[in-house]
Amino acid sequence: MEFLKEYIDIIIFTILGFMSFIVIWLSVERLIFYKRLKLSDFKDLNDFEEAITKNLTTLYIIYSNAPYIGLLGTVVGIMITFYDMGISGEMNVKDIMVGLSLALKATALGLVVAIPTLIIYNAFLRKVDILINRFKARV
């Protein structure tokens, strides 16, 4: 329990930070790809769709799972708070509230990662729809 108490924030924040890095990386990659995209480079609709939707699944996975990673940190933080209450044998309201409020920061960070990723993902889906319509109109 002491290991979790000491390192849970670092573990959860590292995972969410890594997820954020991936979102930024893939978003920049997609923006550059879409900017340089030439419809004439593709002969087949299936190849075109595959190229323009590359990495979108990863964004979907991140936006749908980041809140759960944050929630895991919150649950572990609450468990630690209750464990510490049980060990001390006291019902100090101040310590309980501080422990619970600190535990909730993991969920908040999970949402901070998920919400912008959802917005980015939906914007890219819209761009994909537009590009597919332009490709079909070209043929």
Side-chain angles (χ1 to χ4, degrees):
M1 188 60 82
E2 291 302 317
F3 175 81
L4 282 177
K5 188 175 183 179
E6 190 71 30
Y7 295 106
I8 189 63
D9 285 346
I10 295 169
I11 293 168
I12 296 298
F13 291 176
T14 300
I15 293 169
L16 290 170
F18 182 66
M19 291 170 95
S20 297
F21 175 76
I22 292 171
V23 168
I24 292 168
W25 181 275
L26 295 180
S27 298
V28 168
E29 184 275 332
R30 287 288 83 190
L31 287 172
I32 293 170
F33 176 80
Y34 293 146
K35 185 174 176 119
R36 294 180 179 174
L37 182 68
K38 294 179 184 166
L39 298 179
S40 60
D41 291 344
F42 298 92
K43 310 260 186 284
D44 182 58
L45 179 61
N46 291 333
D47 291 339
F48 181 69
E49 278 190 63
E50 187 177 323
I52 63 174
T53 60
K54 181 181 175 188
N55 298 327
L56 294 187
T57 301
T58 305
L59 291 175
Y60 175 83
I61 290 168
I62 289 173
Y63 96 70
S64 62
N65 287 295
Y68 294 123
I69 301 295
L71 185 60
L72 175 65
T74 296
V75 169
V76 172
I78 290 170
M79 286 174 27
I80 291 168
T81 300
F82 288 149
Y83 177 81
D84 288 344
M85 278 177 22
I87 293 297
S88 71
E90 296 179 13
M91 291 288 288
N92 185 348
V93 176
K94 178 182 172 189
D95 292 339
I96 294 169
M97 290 300 122
V98 168
L100 294 178
S101 66
L102 291 176
L104 290 171
K105 70 184 170 199
T107 296
L109 186 59
L111 292 173
V112 166
V113 173
I115 292 169
T117 305
L118 174 61
I119 293 167
I120 292 166
Y121 175 76
N122 284 328
F124 284 149
L125 282 183
R126 176 68 181 139
K127 182 70 172 176
V128 164
D129 288 342
I130 291 169
L131 290 171
I132 288 173
N133 287 335
R134 285 184 185 162
F135 187 86
K136 287 178 180 178
R138 176 188 73 98
V139 175

